[in-house]
Amino acid sequence: MYDTPMSLQICCVDFICDNLSALCEVQPAATADPKQTKMVFKDPETCFHANLSDQLLSTLSEKGKLNDESLSLFDPSVTALRHVSIHNAPVTSRGLRILKGHRVSQLEVTGIKDVTVNDIIGCLGEWTLSNLRILNVSRNTFLNNSKFCVVVSLSKLRNLHTLNVSFTEFNRHGLEIIAEDLPCLEVLDISCTEINDISPLRKCKNRLKSLSMYNLQLHKNSDPIGVVSDLVHLVQLDVSNDATRESIITSVATERFQVPEYLSRCETNPNLISVDVSGAADVAPCIVESFLEKHPKLNFFGLALTSISEYEMFQPESSWHRSHADLKISGESTEAQIMESLRRYLPRSTYMQKALFKLFNLSQGTEEPREDIIKLVLPAMKSHPKILSVQMAATACLYNLTRGDVGLKIHPVMLSKCVDLTLTAMENFPNHQQLQKNALLTICSDRILQEVNFDRFRCSRLVMECMCQFDDASMNRMSVAICSILAAKISTEQTTILGAKARYMKKLLMLVEERLVNHELDITLRFTLSALWNLTDEAPSTCNVFLTEGGLELFMKLLQLTDGEETENHVQVETKILGLLNNIAEVKILRHKLMREDFIMLIKQMLGGKHIDVSYFAAGILAHLCSDGDEAWRSIAGLDRYDILEDLRTVVSNWDQPKAEMVAYRSFSPFFPLLQSQDTPIQLWAVWAIHHVCSKNGKRYLTLLNDEGGHEHIYQLMQSSNIDPKVLAICQEILDKLKEHKGRPPRSCQDMEF
């Protein structure tokens, strides 16, 4: 059902990266500048072998935690870097100088705009300069301070076998230098550079094995096909283009590599095993078939963004395809082609968008888990976070691939990655309704919300923002459903941050009011009430915002609407309303706002209801209001506090324990003041409530009660001279459960008699 879990080494490296501040300390660097610091491991015995050093560095880079300071961790005395991989990190030459002490054979430093390629090479030690075999400086710059393209430093790398200078200012002059000065060069990527004439490559025609020149604009009179044909040892050729890319306007006419003409020369480059002509113009099927027959070693043919991939010969049911089953083809015509495109063209947003769009159509109605496809969608999302077309298609695909029963069979770690990248898409495109809707559809899953680990506070905040941004019934329903679940799973501090925002509260109360006006007790209302209930739990500031925004009057009207109805739906609505009002009643400084005759009469009426769920929360509200003593009740002429207390005693005394747990608590702190009350009915409700949750979910609540010192409060209540026998009996049962739960009495209760 699930893929093999992550290795222990990967888990440990992840832990180190996520806990740098705990495992490391910052010290002054041994430089003349007193402001410069370095990071060292606290444990002086720490030492990383080469493989582990490489993995730690690449993981820090992947997690966005690599900078000059964290680079200083890689002191040659405790680490040994061989394969260095740094991507899009805010590092400078100062940090990269740590590489001087390492013997690096493979170096990837990409997307570092503040450090020139010459600076990067200047940070390498003598051994590395003499022995470096692979260098990738894609998306960096060769421009010096005077904006001249300087590539001379590449000449120092005499043993270089592989060079990637794609997406840089690398030009024809640079190509002449490396063709002349790098005698071991076999693999070259000059995609999206300023090269417009590849004729210097003739100098390395007897050694170049791989050439990638995606999106090159070449002089019409430079004979690129002739140059490529002269590369007698060529086994890999990429002459792909973006189908929509316009030619660069220069003083000399340029054009794309002429794929039809090249393919028609069937005898050219007979040793090819990989050819990519993606984005090419149409070529007659007979020419394509002839080219493939003349290149029997070919194992990959790139046809993305072309209609060539739709040719009958490339369809799974064709006899030609069956006889060439080992030939991988990229394109958008079949699932296999799409997956190959997603694997090979990750940096190309146009390719990703087209492949994902086609994948969305294919993935509708997916009935079996396809983690293999999800693993291709996620890198596309991560690589192009700000490209709307990619994120739109990707979020739609994720919904298709994780929805319903299919999602139950996908590993939770994989689902967690899906959620994280979906949230990033929501952050980057807050005003795009369809993308936000795609995201909600994916996240609004019981499996994801209940079982998967992700940043629930971040998710709650983004969903709240989405809910406020758009007035869409289905989006509102999903938003409140998500928030109702997540609000119970985030910390009290986090619910307070969310609930204290007036715009969030206004939107939630507006959804309630719409249902009240229409007399519509639907699922959106129930989710909204649950969200409000959880957001106000032990959150005084949220409770205050609720009252300020008119929530009390609204909820009283809603209770009057449901009064007398005993359907399950009505009972659920009443329970959620009273649960929230109970949260407000727990806040001493806000209780005076509930001291209204109309409100208390309404709650008193609910107290006598047939359903214990409703009666329980009504009793809690009255217990808290009564706990403030006679003085607080003097302003209410029509009600007697002692009559309320007697009603409370009668109702609670007649309760039977329900079969299921009625309520969830974050802590028992709201009950402790009630245990100190001198009024038996208040004590009775509090101990009954504590006993209830401890009976239904002892593993959680008995531990919580013990950790919060609840046994002390209960013990003190038991020592009261005038304690009611029923209260005493319930207290004793709670302590018995605590003793059984721990296997021994709590240390502070050694003198108790059980």
Side-chain angles (χ1 to χ4, degrees):
M1 175 177 169
Y2 291 149
D3 280 356
T4 302
M6 290 190 298
S7 69
L8 180 59
Q9 179 169 311
I10 293 175
C11 292
C12 290
V13 170
D14 278 346
F15 180 84
I16 293 170
C17 293
D18 293 337
N19 296 275
L20 282 182
S21 58
L23 300 173
C24 308
E25 60 185 12
V26 177
Q27 298 178 350
T31 64
D33 186 354
K35 294 183 180 180
Q36 287 193 15
T37 59
K38 65 177 181 178
M39 187 176 283
V40 299
F41 290 101
K42 291 180 179 179
D43 185 351
E45 301 298 320
T46 299
C47 187
F48 290 84
H49 58 69
N51 177 267
L52 201 55
S53 300
D54 295 341
Q55 187 177 346
L56 179 62
L57 180 66
S58 63
T59 305
L60 283 170
S61 177
E62 183 181 340
K63 289 177 175 285
K65 296 188 176 184
L66 196 63
N67 50 39
D68 285 351
E69 190 172 74
S70 56
L71 257 179
S72 65
L73 276 175
F74 296 88
D75 189 285
S77 64
V78 295
T79 60
L81 293 171
R82 295 292 181 267
H83 298 167
V84 172
S85 182
I86 301 173
H87 303 287
N88 304 307
V91 298
T92 67
S93 296
R94 179 169 66 86
L96 290 172
R97 288 191 195 106
I98 198 76
L99 299 178
K100 276 190 180 293
H102 294 274
R103 296 185 170 190
V104 181
S105 61
Q106 180 174 323
L107 178 63
E108 291 185 50
V109 182
T110 67
I112 314 297
K113 293 298 185 183
D114 295 331
V115 184
T116 70
V117 175
N118 292 295
D119 290 336
I120 293 171
I121 295 174
C123 292
L124 304 178
E126 289 301 322
W127 188 97
T128 301
L129 291 173
S130 299
N131 295 277
L132 188 68
R133 291 178 59 83
I134 299 175
L135 176 64
N136 181 357
V137 289
S138 177
R139 300 181 188 276
N140 289 345
T141 183
F142 280 94
L143 299 181
N144 61 14
N145 292 335
S146 301
K147 300 302 179 183
F148 287 109
C149 181
V150 181
V151 300
V152 66
S153 58
L154 291 174
S155 300
K156 300 177 182 179
L157 308 175
R158 302 286 293 177
N159 200 39
L160 200 65
H161 284 238
T162 300
L163 175 62
N164 184 342
V165 291
S166 60
F167 296 91
T168 69
E169 306 87 359
F170 198 79
N171 55 26
R172 186 184 189 280
H173 176 63
L175 192 62
E176 290 175 342
I177 290 175
I178 64 170
E180 186 74 39
D181 295 347
L182 301 183
C184 299
L185 189 65
E186 295 181 343
V187 179
L188 178 63
D189 190 340
I190 51 176
S191 302
C192 294
T193 59
E194 296 182 7
I195 294 171
N196 51 28
D197 180 2
I198 62 171
S199 56
L201 291 179
R202 283 195 167 100
K203 294 180 181 179
C204 46
K205 67 179 182 179
N206 292 320
R207 64 176 185 271
L208 201 63
K209 295 180 179 179
S210 175
L211 176 62
S212 298
M213 43 184 192
Y214 158 68
N215 264 356
L216 274 197
Q217 296 288 335
L218 302 166
H219 286 175
K220 288 186 176 182
N221 58 358
S222 63
D223 189 23
I225 294 177
V227 175
V228 170
S229 300
D230 286 345
L231 304 177
V232 294
H233 295 292
L234 201 65
V235 295
Q236 186 274 329
L237 175 65
D238 182 355
V239 290
S240 59
N241 278 279
D242 284 348
T244 58
R245 186 173 187 262
E246 297 294 331
S247 296
I248 299 173
I249 299 175
T250 65
S251 57
V252 180
T254 62
E255 64 183 4
R256 300 173 183 174
F257 190 89
Q258 294 301 301
V259 170
E261 182 182 346
Y262 175 75
L263 294 182
S264 66
R265 300 186 184 185
C266 299
E267 308 293 339
T268 303
N269 306 117
N271 297 315
L272 284 172
I273 62 173
S274 172
V275 175
D276 199 331
V277 296
S278 296
D282 288 350
V283 184
C286 60
I287 293 177
V288 174
E289 186 170 356
S290 180
F291 178 85
L292 293 175
E293 294 299 335
K294 293 292 185 179
H295 294 81
K297 298 178 183 179
L298 213 62
N299 59 31
F300 171 70
F301 197 29
L303 299 173
L305 304 186
T306 72
S307 58
I308 304 172
S309 66
E310 301 174 7
Y311 290 174
E312 183 180 353
M313 60 188 292
F314 297 127
Q315 303 311 304
E317 62 273 9
S318 74
S319 58
W320 190 96
H321 185 273
R322 288 194 295 271
S323 63
H324 296 77
D326 293 336
L327 178 63
K328 291 183 171 61
I329 297 171
S330 64
E332 297 84 33
S333 178
T334 67
E335 180 186 292
Q337 290 181 11
I338 292 170
M339 292 179 69
E340 196 65 34
S341 293
L342 291 172
R343 266 190 289 268
R344 288 182 178 265
Y345 306 123
L346 188 58
R348 308 181 185 183
S349 61
T350 303
Y351 284 58
M352 290 295 98
Q353 186 274 329
K354 186 69 176 291
L356 289 168
F357 176 76
K358 293 291 186 177
L359 177 62
F360 167 70
N361 293 328
L362 282 178
S363 61
Q364 294 189 65
T366 300
E367 296 181 356
E368 293 298 325
R370 295 297 304 271
E371 289 197 16
D372 56 335
I373 297 181
I374 294 175
K375 286 178 179 178
L376 297 174
V377 174
L378 296 180
M381 294 183 73
K382 188 172 184 179
S383 297
H384 306 282
K386 299 296 181 67
I387 306 297
L388 176 60
S389 58
V390 172
Q391 297 300 318
M392 275 287 293
T395 52
C397 288
L398 286 187
Y399 172 60
N400 285 345
L401 295 166
T402 60
R403 65 189 299 183
D405 292 339
V406 174
L408 298 176
K409 302 173 185 177
I410 297 175
H411 196 286
V413 172
M414 184 65 67
L415 290 175
S416 176
K417 293 176 181 178
C418 292
V419 175
D420 287 342
L421 287 169
T422 298
L423 295 180
T424 299
M426 293 182 74
E427 276 179 334
N428 288 335
F429 301 98
N431 300 320
H432 197 284
Q433 185 169 358
Q434 187 57 55
L435 184 139
Q436 296 287 321
K437 196 168 190 175
N438 291 350
L440 294 177
L441 284 166
T442 299
I443 298 169
C444 195
S445 150
D446 284 341
R447 173 84 193 288
I448 287 175
L449 295 174
Q450 300 288 0
E451 300 178 31
V452 175
N453 289 324
F454 56 93
D455 189 336
R456 294 184 171 92
F457 173 65
R458 178 191 182 203
C459 182
S460 301
R461 176 178 55 80
L462 290 170
V463 170
M464 285 281 205
E465 287 293 333
C466 174
M467 180 181 66
C468 293
Q469 181 72 19
F470 305 104
D471 188 18
D472 178 280
S474 63
M475 293 177 72
N476 286 336
R477 182 176 63 253
M478 290 187 286
S479 296
V480 292
I482 293 167
C483 291
S484 68
I485 295 173
L486 295 186
K489 296 179 179 294
I490 60 179
S491 69
T492 303
E493 293 75 17
Q494 291 170 334
T495 58
T496 299
I497 293 172
L498 293 175
K501 287 186 178 291
R503 60 194 295 263
Y504 295 169
M505 184 63 71
K506 286 178 180 178
K507 177 67 176 187
L508 290 168
L509 293 179
M510 185 191 78
L511 293 176
V512 174
E513 186 172 20
E514 287 176 353
R515 269 99 197 131
L516 174 64
V517 171
N518 297 323
H519 291 199
E520 190 176 13
L521 306 185
D522 61 1
I523 191 170
T524 299
L525 174 64
R526 295 199 298 275
F527 280 137
T528 306
L529 294 175
S530 293
L532 286 165
W533 185 3
N534 288 324
L535 287 171
T536 53
D537 190 10
E538 295 193 31
S541 60
T542 304
C543 292
N544 187 48
V545 173
F546 173 85
L547 294 171
T548 302
E549 297 298 332
L552 179 59
E553 288 74 15
L554 182 62
F555 273 33
M556 287 176 62
K557 292 177 182 177
L558 196 54
L559 282 175
Q560 290 163 356
L561 177 66
T562 63
D563 185 31
E565 299 287 344
E566 295 187 4
T567 66
E568 182 179 351
N569 192 23
H570 284 77
V571 171
Q572 286 184 12
V573 169
E574 290 177 351
T575 301
K576 296 174 191 298
I577 292 172
L578 294 173
L580 181 147
L581 296 174
N582 191 88
N583 288 340
I584 298 174
E586 290 175 357
V587 184
K588 185 176 179 62
I589 61 172
L590 296 179
R591 283 202 279 265
H592 70 279
K593 296 187 177 183
L594 302 180
M595 297 301 292
R596 296 168 34 171
E597 183 176 351
D598 57 346
F599 174 74
I600 295 174
M601 287 297 294
L602 184 58
I603 301 304
K604 184 174 180 291
Q605 184 177 337
M606 296 288 175
L607 176 67
K610 295 180 180 179
H611 296 274
I612 188 171
D613 307 63
V614 174
S615 182
Y616 172 83
F617 289 108
I621 294 168
L622 295 175
H624 283 289
L625 295 181
C626 288
S627 69
D628 285 340
D630 292 337
E631 188 65 32
W633 286 71
R634 296 191 187 282
S635 60
I636 305 179
L639 290 170
D640 187 279
R641 174 174 174 270
Y642 291 98
D643 289 342
I644 298 290
L645 287 172
E646 281 306 308
D647 289 344
L648 185 61
R649 180 205 295 267
T650 301
V651 169
V652 178
S653 298
N654 289 325
W655 281 344
D656 293 322
Q657 276 287 349
K659 294 180 180 180
E661 185 180 350
M662 292 189 299
V663 63
Y665 289 112
R666 293 178 184 270
S667 77
F668 287 107
S669 56
F671 292 96
F672 297 155
L674 302 183
L675 296 178
Q676 298 167 8
S677 172
Q678 298 302 309
D679 296 299
T680 294
I682 296 174
Q683 299 169 358
L684 181 61
W685 181 81
V687 296
W688 194 97
I690 294 171
H691 181 271
H692 167 68
V693 293
C694 289
S695 300
K696 302 303 178 187
N697 190 350
K699 183 177 180 180
R700 174 186 177 187
Y701 288 110
L702 289 171
T703 301
L704 181 63
L705 186 63
N706 187 71
D707 291 346
E708 293 183 339
H711 52 278
E712 293 282 9
H713 291 279
I714 292 171
Y715 179 61
Q716 290 173 10
L717 177 58
M718 293 174 70
Q719 303 307 305
S720 302
S721 57
N722 59 343
I723 186 171
D724 182 87
K726 192 172 185 67
V727 174
L728 180 63
I730 297 175
C731 287
Q732 187 64 60
E733 287 185 29
I734 295 172
L735 292 179
D736 288 343
K737 289 181 181 296
L738 271 173
K739 179 179 179 181
E740 181 181 351
H741 176 68
K742 288 186 65 66
R744 58 179 176 79
R747 181 175 300 175
S748 58
C749 302
Q750 292 291 340
D751 57 341
M752 293 184 189
E753 294 182 5
F754 290 95

